[in-house]
Amino acid sequence: MLASNITSSFQIPHFVLICFPSIQDWQHWLSIPLVLLLLLAVVANFTILTVIRRENSLHEPMYYLLSILAVIDLVLCLTTIPKMLGILCFNMKIMNLPSCFLQMYIMNSFIAMESCTFLVMAYDRYTAICNPLMYPCVINNGFVLKAFVFIILRNSTLLLPVPVLAARLQYCSRNVVGHCFCTSAATTALACGDRTISAIYQLAIGFGLLGSDLILISLSYCMILRVVLKIQTEGAIVKAFSTCTSHVILILFFYTVLLVLIFTTKLENVILPDIPIFLNSLHFLVPPVLNPVVYGVRTKEIKQGIKKMIRNRNINS
């Protein structure tokens, strides 16, 4: 009922996603690395979740936060990449309006959730290094539960107006989205009415959420760096840096690609249109691959858990 009411208020029946407009003749070859990366992302994140669930030694706040990150990554890549593969391989370019706005909402809210999760993990590292005696009291299962509720409520609520405002616009004639996904900017750019309110809210909420997260994360690591540099013991310095390295790598990649994507989108008249599309695709696929791999490689407890799980499976087989 709701879907039919939404659809009936528009003059066009659907959107057409053309993905990479400059390489239409051979873009289907991109599906090969995309399928491999998607399989790697799904297997890696499910492995992390399984190891953390099975190993009692990993039932700690830091690993629960990593589990939240893995679930967010799975939702992001499974919401976007299968549709992209359908476009590249089977020319499934048609997307009805409710599905488009639903995909828009999931993409926006879960990207913000990932950013918020990085913020909570930065606070976890700040407490562990700057206030180690208070760590067991501050960072506990209750903290993780509150953080999880905060991550869900903050981002799902504040991002809801983005697809709602987009759905209220009138789409009179143009329905070709020059993208692989129903991004907010690319979709609302097709509206024939005044989209000022929608554009202002998208800009404000994007910089308000992701910008504030990045500032707070940067402040956390500045304070961590200040404390670490005061440590006189060389071994303690190495240990302190090793606990943060994985997190810093993932944060740098996440926000670097996001910032580059924003700038390239603003310069779409100067550069090839396929470049921001490619960067956006990377942003939905590479972090789900990179996050579990980096943590799996650099975290001794997770490596041991994976080895134990593989060893037990070989014994059972």
Side-chain angles (χ1 to χ4, degrees):
M1 179 66 69
L2 179 60
S4 61
N5 290 338
I6 293 176
T7 306
S8 62
S9 65
F10 292 86
Q11 297 185 26
I12 59 173
H14 53 254
F15 290 115
V16 180
L17 308 178
I18 60 172
C19 221
F20 298 97
S22 302
I23 55 172
Q24 291 286 300
D25 294 336
W26 57 274
Q27 65 177 6
H28 57 277
W29 291 107
L30 294 175
S31 61
I32 297 175
L34 286 176
V35 168
L36 295 176
L37 286 173
L38 178 61
L39 291 174
L40 179 58
V42 172
V43 171
N45 282 283
F46 270 115
T47 300
I48 291 292
L49 290 171
T50 302
V51 169
I52 293 175
R53 182 178 63 86
R54 290 184 177 181
E55 290 296 319
N56 293 330
S57 61
L58 300 180
H59 292 176
E60 297 179 1
M62 182 177 70
Y63 301 109
Y64 290 144
L65 294 174
L66 182 56
S67 298
I68 294 173
L69 186 64
V71 172
I72 292 172
D73 284 336
L74 283 171
V75 173
L76 274 175
C77 65
L78 293 177
T79 302
T80 56
I81 303 305
K83 176 60 180 177
M84 183 178 177
L85 291 172
I87 296 172
L88 297 178
C89 297
F90 307 107
N91 207 32
M92 299 170 59
K93 299 180 179 181
I94 304 299
M95 196 167 193
N96 62 53
L97 302 178
S99 298
C100 187
F101 295 125
L102 177 61
Q103 187 190 57
M104 181 190 301
Y105 175 63
I106 293 175
M107 288 191 302
N108 290 334
S109 57
F110 274 80
I111 285 177
M113 287 180 194
E114 182 154 7
S115 174
C116 193
T117 304
F118 282 135
L119 173 60
V120 176
M121 296 173 79
Y123 178 71
D124 170 84
R125 293 299 85 201
Y126 163 77
T127 306
I129 294 175
C130 299
N131 297 295
L133 297 179
M134 295 294 296
Y135 184 83
C137 301
V138 176
I139 309 298
N140 49 38
N141 291 342
F143 168 81
V144 174
L145 180 59
K146 293 176 183 176
F148 176 72
V149 173
F150 173 72
I151 291 169
I152 297 296
L153 290 182
R154 187 197 78 159
N155 301 290
S156 61
T157 303
L158 294 178
L159 269 302
L160 183 60
V162 173
V164 171
L165 290 172
R168 291 175 63 86
L169 296 172
Q170 291 297 318
Y171 300 86
C172 304
S173 56
R174 296 185 301 162
N175 69 339
V176 177
V177 180
H179 221 293
C180 301
F181 320 112
C182 285
T183 63
S184 306
T187 304
T188 56
L190 303 176
C192 55
D194 184 11
R195 57 178 186 272
T196 303
I197 297 177
S198 177
I200 291 175
Y201 190 83
Q202 289 178 30
L203 187 64
I205 202 65
F207 281 100
L209 292 180
L210 300 181
S212 62
D213 289 346
L214 181 57
I215 290 172
L216 292 173
I217 290 172
S218 301
L219 288 174
S220 297
Y221 275 99
C222 285
M223 290 186 283
I224 289 173
L225 183 61
R226 186 181 64 178
V227 170
V228 169
L229 292 177
K230 292 180 180 179
I231 299 176
Q232 301 297 322
T233 308
E234 183 178 349
I237 295 177
V238 174
K239 183 178 180 181
F241 275 121
S242 65
T243 61
C244 300
T245 304
S246 301
H247 192 217
V248 170
I249 292 172
L250 302 179
I251 288 173
L252 286 175
F253 182 86
F254 179 84
Y255 286 105
T256 300
V257 174
L258 194 60
L259 290 173
V260 172
L261 175 61
I262 292 172
F263 286 121
T264 53
T265 302
K266 297 300 180 183
L267 299 173
E268 59 182 2
N269 295 327
V270 181
I271 63 175
L272 290 174
D274 291 341
I275 293 178
I277 297 173
F278 177 72
L279 289 173
N280 207 0
S281 304
L282 286 181
H283 198 255
F284 288 115
L285 190 55
V286 176
V289 174
L290 191 64
N291 293 347
V293 170
V294 170
Y295 271 104
V297 169
R298 296 196 57 86
T299 306
K300 181 179 66 175
E301 292 79 6
I302 292 180
K303 284 195 295 185
Q304 291 175 345
I306 293 174
K307 291 178 181 178
K308 182 179 178 181
M309 185 175 68
I310 294 174
R311 185 167 57 249
N312 290 339
R313 181 171 297 178
N314 290 335
I315 292 174
N316 293 332
S317 62

